[in-house]
Amino acid sequence: MEFVSNDGKSVEISVEGEIYLRHAIKTRFINLDDNYIDVVKEYVSELYEKGDIISISEKIISICQNRIVKREDIKIGIWAKFLSKFASHPTTGVGVGETIKMQYAINKVGLFKVILASIASGITKLFGIKGIFYKIVGQEVSGLDGFYDHIWIQYKNIGIELPENPKAVCNEIKNQLGISCMIVDSNDFGQEILGKSDDISYSDETLRQMIRDNPAGQGRQRTPIILIRKCINN
């Protein structure tokens, strides 16, 4: 099997003295009527070998679970309009600098916590500390994707929430297909292991190191699945 990587990424990565190979698996555009078991079976089964680990983007699992929020269902209030003016605008997706995500945050965790997070964020930024807002409001808010169309027009009017029970999803994939996997929320600024199948003995930190350069491609590359294989000849 020939391993391939996305542009600007490397097939090989060194983690704790070991070399791992990563293969970016290209898929079709995953839609709301897709089933994640069928997707993994279609694109992974023929490539997978015992000992491999599959890293799956949380986005495609969420889409298969229909974990979406429609733009039309979020009524933007005055507080969201006001607070979003002071937030940053990341290039990796929609942030609370957009009024719709600020309103989503308010709906999810309450206005008081969002105001507290906004004040704390403003103070800590003066000292060069970033990310405090999302640490306070939590992963459910920080993990919201979508509501932008600069890559896929299909995401313009929907927000994509984090997947439901990712650990159970990983175990379901393992039990049905025999494929060890993890579900990750990853971008160029950080990686989070949302869930992994019970047979994986690596710590979350070691798994994060295996994908620390964000080898998947969520845009036009359409490579949301990464096959990871330990190199036995290093």
Side-chain angles (χ1 to χ4, degrees), residues 59 89-94 145 148 150 187-189:
K59 186 184 296 183
H89 293 260
T91 58
T92 55
V94 62
D145 208 337
Y148 61 91
H150 61 273
N187 55 50
D188 289 338
F189 299 100

Side-chain angles (χ1 to χ4, degrees), residues 11-30:
V11 166
E12 294 188 5
I13 194 165
S14 176
V15 179
E16 298 173 356
E18 302 286 352
I19 300 297
Y20 295 87
L21 307 178
R22 290 91 52 81
H23 176 60
I25 298 176
K26 194 176 185 67
T27 70
R28 66 179 183 278
F29 185 85
I30 305 302

Side-chain angles (χ1 to χ4, degrees), residues 61-125:
I61 300 298
S62 295
I63 289 172
C64 290
Q65 291 179 330
N66 200 27
R67 295 273 294 165
I68 65 166
V69 181
K70 296 180 180 178
R71 184 182 292 273
E72 63 193 52
D73 293 334
I74 299 181
K75 184 178 180 181
I76 298 174
I78 188 170
W79 276 106
K81 294 177 182 178
F82 174 72
L83 293 172
S84 63
K85 294 178 181 179
F86 303 97
S88 59
H89 293 260
T91 58
T92 55
V94 62
V96 289
E98 302 295 330
T99 55
I100 192 163
K101 186 164 184 179
M102 185 65 79
Q103 186 63 54
Y104 175 85
I106 293 171
N107 293 349
K108 277 292 177 181
V109 303
L111 177 59
F112 176 78
K113 182 174 280 192
V114 171
I115 292 176
L116 176 64
S118 298
I119 294 172
S121 176
I123 294 172
T124 54
K125 281 181 180 178

Side-chain angles (χ1 to χ4, degrees), residues 41-208:
K41 182 178 181 180
E42 178 180 355
Y43 291 103
V44 178
S45 291
E46 292 186 1
L47 304 175
Y48 185 85
E49 295 182 1
K50 185 177 180 179
D52 292 348
I53 297 174
I54 302 301
S55 174
I56 308 173
S57 165
E58 93 290 353
K59 186 184 296 183
I60 66 171
I61 300 298
S62 295
I63 289 172
C64 290
Q65 291 179 330
N66 200 27
R67 295 273 294 165
I68 65 166
V69 181
K70 296 180 180 178
R71 184 182 292 273
E72 63 193 52
D73 293 334
I74 299 181
K75 184 178 180 181
I76 298 174
I78 188 170
W79 276 106
K81 294 177 182 178
F82 174 72
L83 293 172
S84 63
K85 294 178 181 179
F86 303 97
S88 59
H89 293 260
T91 58
T92 55
V94 62
V96 289
E98 302 295 330
T99 55
I100 192 163
K101 186 164 184 179
M102 185 65 79
Q103 186 63 54
Y104 175 85
I106 293 171
N107 293 349
K108 277 292 177 181
V109 303
L111 177 59
F112 176 78
K113 182 174 280 192
V114 171
I115 292 176
L116 176 64
S118 298
I119 294 172
S121 176
I123 294 172
T124 54
K125 281 181 180 178
L126 296 175
F127 300 94
I129 301 172
K130 298 181 179 180
I132 295 299
F133 180 93
Y134 289 114
K135 286 183 179 180
I136 294 175
V137 297
Q139 193 176 49
E140 194 169 12
V141 173
S142 64
L144 183 73
D145 208 337
F147 289 133
Y148 61 91
D149 61 353
H150 61 273
I151 298 177
W152 299 109
I153 189 66
Q154 292 92 332
Y155 296 157
K156 180 179 181 179
N157 293 313
I158 63 169
I160 305 168
E161 298 182 301
L162 289 176
E164 184 177 11
N165 206 340
K167 179 180 176 65
V169 171
C170 291
N171 283 327
E172 182 184 2
I173 292 171
K174 175 62 179 178
N175 293 336
Q176 292 199 29
L177 302 177
I179 292 174
S180 303
C181 63
M182 59 181 176
I183 296 172
V184 305
D185 183 2
S186 180
N187 55 50
D188 289 338
F189 299 100
Q191 296 74 40
E192 290 294 333
I193 310 301
L194 302 182
K196 61 185 177 183
S197 51
D198 288 338
D199 63 304
I200 295 178
S201 60
Y202 292 109
S203 69
D204 285 3
E205 177 56 31
T206 299
L207 293 172
R208 278 193 290 269

